[in-house]
Amino acid sequence: MSLTAVRPDLTVETMEGPVRGAVNSGLRTWRGIPYAAPPVGELRLRLPQPVRPWAEVFDATAYGPVPPQPRGRGLLGAGRRTPMDEDCLTVNVTAPLAPAAPLPVLVYLYGGGFTTGAASAEAYDATRLVERGDVVYVCMNYRLGALGFMDFRRYSTPQRPFDANCGLADQVAALRWVQRNIARFGGDPGNVTIFGQSAGAMSVTALMCAPSAKGLFHRAIALSSAPSTAYGPGLPEKWAANLLDLLGVPEADAGQALASLPASRLVEAAVRLTRDVAPESEPGTRAVAPVVDGDFLPLHPIDAFRAGTAHRVPLVMGNMGREGALFDQFEDVLPTKPERIDTMFALTGPDLKDRVLGAYPGYPGKREAVDVGGDAVFWHPGIQVAEAHSAFAPTWSYRFDYAPRMAHLLGLGATHGLDIPAVFGNYASGLGRFLTLAGGGRTAVSVSNRFQGALLRFARTGNPGPMWPAYETQSRKTKIFDRTDQIVPDPHHIRRVAWDGYLGYR
């Protein structure tokens, strides 16, 4: 007997064609649904185009291929055997079995520094989130690395043009798919919350400043965003030239090479650029990142928030207690060492260096240097966004300070990415299970319940609840999530004042 005959409601008539899902963990799931045309051939490095409709029932019971990226990170991206292809623009939907009314929609944007990530990654299993919140969950694949977040427009020809911000445009195309189709899956297209962590949170803050995303979402949650990670026009052009050098491609042959080289070559070069080149030449930047192109992103995101041109939707914005520690130990791309910090200030604000570093007693000690790097990239730009947006729309700020015992044994503390199990309620598997191997499982679940509960209330109502006051520049009240939660006015006041006026690479 066919799956469709057993559960007729698993076949959904989308605007593009019928799709058949499955029942997994007591929820309805649809996987690998195309939301845009395959970005291959003439569409490589071009903005996403509409998908061709289909008439036969599309089998949406298996995940689609993940975007080209380095392998070996199955928890958050591509494992050794994960199918991978440039033809990757698909969405996954998870929904309750029988919703009584249209449900809030949560659309997740995965992290991974714009070079790794996948909607099918184990860490983003939304089973508990959907069960607890009675929501519809959507996660999409979007292009990464050189194929999604570099600017090769200067190498365009009339016969072979290139576009910038392809990865962000993919996200917009997926959000348009949500508006067209999510009601058919039980979701409310008038109540869509975008949320993401790390590069996904950078995408959230960038989409809030993208005119083409207007009206496609109604609330936003940015978990460890680095909103200053958007550049233009000089740095993206320089990095594009650097990438060609790494590929061994002369500028005269750039157009043909970019259009025809295997994706694996572009992946490898982008990884070298982001891990080896940019962290030394421009510490604190991300060479694969959104581009302030004057069109898709008319203004730098922080400038757009300050001008009030960002979409005026309710926003939850926050960071981990020690963002930089993870990078210092496992992904050495931040300015967490005095040499890189010196270079960063020489390029971006030499007159502010002494004042800022004076706010970190013990600098140039290792811990203080790590905190400077994390604050420069994540915390300080996040505060800039929160204080700017709060003048135009409801805004809430948090700091996630809880770390299980294992994280402390590793010398990490509450560092970047350790909030993912709390958001999804996944302390029984994957990263969450590892973090609680040394104990603390009950506490972790308690913190997760409070954090996740507040985010779900926000997605449902636009307010995370009475125990979390809004952020405003008079008191700067911030929710601290830890073993015991608290509200703290203006945490890190001395550091905030010291960083005031720092603009970074723009």
Side-chain angles (χ1 to χ4, degrees), residues 230-249:
Y231 316 98
L235 281 177
E237 291 183 354
K238 175 187 174 182
W239 289 325
N242 290 157
L243 187 91
L244 292 176
D245 289 341
L246 292 171
L247 290 167
V249 173

Side-chain angles (χ1 to χ4, degrees), residues 90-432:
T90 60
V91 297
N92 309 317
V93 181
T94 303
L97 286 178
L103 302 177
V105 181
L106 277 79
V107 180
Y108 188 68
L109 304 171
Y110 51 70
F114 298 116
T115 57
T116 63
S120 54
E122 177 187 350
Y124 311 134
D125 179 357
T127 299
R128 293 167 184 81
L129 188 71
V130 173
E131 288 176 340
R132 180 182 184 190
D134 199 26
V135 297
V136 174
Y137 172 80
V138 179
C139 190
M140 88 282 287
N141 285 328
Y142 59 89
R143 281 173 282 180
L144 298 166
L147 294 168
F149 286 91
M150 292 195 71
D151 186 1
F152 299 114
R153 289 175 298 168
R154 64 181 292 188
Y155 306 114
S156 295
T157 67
Q159 297 75 29
R160 192 61 174 88
F162 299 123
D163 295 316
N165 288 314
C166 293
L168 283 179
D170 292 344
Q171 297 168 5
V172 171
L175 289 170
R176 288 175 176 154
W177 182 93
V178 169
Q179 287 298 310
R180 292 194 305 271
N181 291 302
I182 206 63
R184 301 162 189 260
F185 297 85
D188 179 0
N191 184 0
V192 175
T193 298
I194 59 172
F195 73 122
Q197 185 269 341
S198 193
M202 298 179 220
S203 298
V204 167
T205 48
L207 290 175
M208 290 182 69
C209 305
S212 60
K214 185 176 182 179
L216 299 181
F217 58 92
H218 312 93
R219 327 191 200 290
I221 302 170
L223 309 154
S224 295
S225 180
S228 61
T229 306
Y231 316 98
L235 281 177
E237 291 183 354
K238 175 187 174 182
W239 289 325
N242 290 157
L243 187 91
L244 292 176
D245 289 341
L246 292 171
L247 290 167
V249 173
E251 183 171 337
D253 300 330
Q256 180 181 358
L258 292 168
S260 61
L261 280 174
S264 59
R265 291 280 310 280
L266 298 177
V267 167
E268 179 186 7
V271 168
R272 291 172 60 193
L273 178 65
T274 56
R275 293 183 183 175
D276 301 331
V277 178
E280 300 299 336
S281 59
E282 293 89 23
T285 63
R286 188 77 186 170
V288 173
V291 177
V292 183
D293 59 359
D295 182 16
F296 192 94
L297 281 183
L299 295 173
H300 188 282
I302 292 177
D303 295 335
F305 279 105
R306 286 177 168 171
T309 59
H311 306 313
R312 298 183 181 185
V313 300
L315 170 66
V316 168
M317 185 94 182
N319 292 99
M320 302 298 291
R322 297 200 68 225
E323 293 281 4
L326 176 81
F327 298 92
D328 181 64
Q329 291 201 32
F330 297 106
E331 188 79 7
D332 188 21
V333 296
L334 260 59
T336 55
K337 297 176 175 60
E339 297 80 8
R340 287 185 182 175
I341 291 169
D342 288 344
T343 302
M344 179 184 73
F345 279 111
L347 293 172
T348 60
D351 55 326
L352 297 178
K353 175 184 172 182
D354 290 343
R355 188 181 78 189
V356 170
L357 298 183
Y360 296 80
Y363 183 86
K366 179 179 177 60
R367 182 181 180 88
E368 291 75 21
V370 167
D371 286 343
V372 169
D375 287 356
V377 174
F378 294 102
W379 172 72
H380 175 248
I383 290 296
Q384 289 179 307
V385 166
E387 64 186 12
H389 195 60
S390 68
F392 303 100
T395 304
W396 289 266
S397 177
Y398 75 87
R399 194 179 75 210
F400 195 93
D401 279 2
Y402 175 71
R405 186 166 182 263
M406 180 65 77
H408 289 290
L409 292 174
L410 293 171
L412 296 170
T415 195
H416 191 77
L418 298 197
D419 53 341
I420 294 175
V423 172
F424 287 93
N426 291 339
Y427 276 107
S429 61
L431 176 62

